[in-house]
Amino acid sequence: MTDAPAPTGAPLRLFNSLTRALEIFTPVHPGEARVYSCGPTVYNYPHIGNMRAYVFADVLGRTLSSKGYKLTHVINITDVGHLTDDADAGEDKLEKAAAEKAQSIWDIARHYTEAYWADIKALNIREPAHWSIATDYVPQMIAFAKAIADKHCYELDSGLYFDTSTVADYGRLARAGTEEGESRIDPVDGKRHAADFAIWRKTPPGEKRQMEWDSPWGKGAPGWHLECSVMSEALLGFPFDIHTGGIDHREIHHPNEIAQNQAHSCSADSGARLWMHNNFLVERSGKMSKSSGDFLRLQLLIDKGYHPLAYRLMCLQAHYRSELEFSWEGLGAALTRLKRMVMAAERLKNETPGDAAHPKLAPCREKFDAAISDDLGTPIALTALEEALAMKKVDAGAKRTLVAEMDAVLGLALFETARADLRLRPRAATITEAEIEAILLRRKQARADKDFAASDALRDELAAQGVEVMDGDPLGWDWRLEI
Ligand code: AMP
Ligand code: ZN
């Protein structure tokens, strides 16, 4: 058997969308955790809702690491195809973006992949072991499709289709071929069942696509669902431990991956033991849809002056399975909360690390572990972190170590962020921090001299440049820039 060390803390219970129940995490390979997360389709910038999916996967990965499992995390980059929604026919999102911008499809994919990676970094999301790029795996996709074609597929003019009636229990994950799910699938002439899907999409006759490959079914491109089945098997092996994605994938994309996995492994096994889904970030005015043109990107939050980790904290304040509504007020509140934590952590920064197992800290540590082990209960885990930060008359070194231990799971970078980094600072502002501080110093002197007229004039001078002076602010912000 194995000599893998026993995991630390409480047993980790995770919600499995397949069984709709909480299950204790039991790794396929003792001591290891292999996780695959559906990544972005890089025809546009990710919106902050997409980034919620990766914050969730990151917390999952950090939790598994903190419990002692050797984590192998894969996130794919869909740089090929992907039609509008879950449809099988119609325009490719990537080809469309390339046509609109008159650039090569490869440049488009590269540009948006880099933009996505910048957001990953800004949100302190750990790099996975592999970024699997779909176009690197086309030969394996063709081999996979060939292996299942005879028993499970049929060919139409538009491509090779998977017959969903050939596998056991199709749609178990979605809980039926739901009407809601099926209404999102475009009808394609000749399909045997509404839920059948393309695993190879032929280039229409007379057309030349920028991305197309030769295959036994003619020139074309792999279906989107095929990409994830192939890359997850290639990098993690079937069965692996956990497959993640947003809740929308529970309806079509993941049931289709499961069907392919079952076909390829000639079994009823779904390919992953646990299928986990984060709920959506919603915004009332519809700014979360990439097709709306003016949608919410992380860069927009940064341009308005918000530190990106305030958005990370906003995500953690809700349980990943709950819908979360975005608002600027909510983001502002998260920023303030983060600032409080960073201020408390600043006092511990230079302490020599001690023993986090200090008896006085034990209840707090246990509360944190119980919360995070209960299906990643970040809202309660955050309160445990705040309690640890606020604890008085306790060995500072031990406290520092405990805070670092908790932050290793939550990823708020408390010891790497300074309070000045968190100041609301819109990009459009022209006045520099040094200029503001210099005027404030003159104002302080004027007040000390009881020259209130001069002091008021300096305050007005700042106000004219968008700086609001906040005398005696309990959080010590001192001033705020609003443009
Ligand atoms: P896409 O690039 O559209 O394939 O989406 C990337 C990831 O973001 C997928 O896991 C989606 O399920 C997820 N996702 C899409 N929209 C949202 C949203 N509003 N909130 C949370 N996750 C989302
Ligand atoms: Zn996927």
Side-chain angles (χ1 to χ4, degrees), residues 38-41 47 49-50 52-54 82 224 245-249 278-281 288 290:
C38 284
T41 313
H47 56 55
N50 298 132
R52 185 182 186 200
Y54 308 109
H82 202 350
W224 170 43
I247 191 98
D248 51 332
H249 289 346
N278 63 278
N279 211 324
F280 265 30
L281 178 80
M288 209 65 75
K290 288 193 205 180

Side-chain angles (χ1 to χ4, degrees), residues 151-174:
K151 266 178 85 177
H152 299 276
C153 304
Y154 56 94
E155 208 174 328
L156 297 177
D157 287 346
S158 54
L160 184 70
Y161 284 80
F162 190 98
D163 181 337
T164 50
S165 70
T166 62
V167 287
D169 220 3
Y170 176 79
R172 178 173 155 226
L173 179 67

Side-chain angles (χ1 to χ4, degrees), residues 36-39 76 78 224-225 228-229 243-244 249 253-254 257:
Y36 183 92
S37 301
C38 284
N76 72 287
T78 297
W224 170 43
H225 316 297
C228 286
S229 281
H243 193 122
T244 79
H249 289 346
H253 180 48
H254 289 170
E257 273 189 51

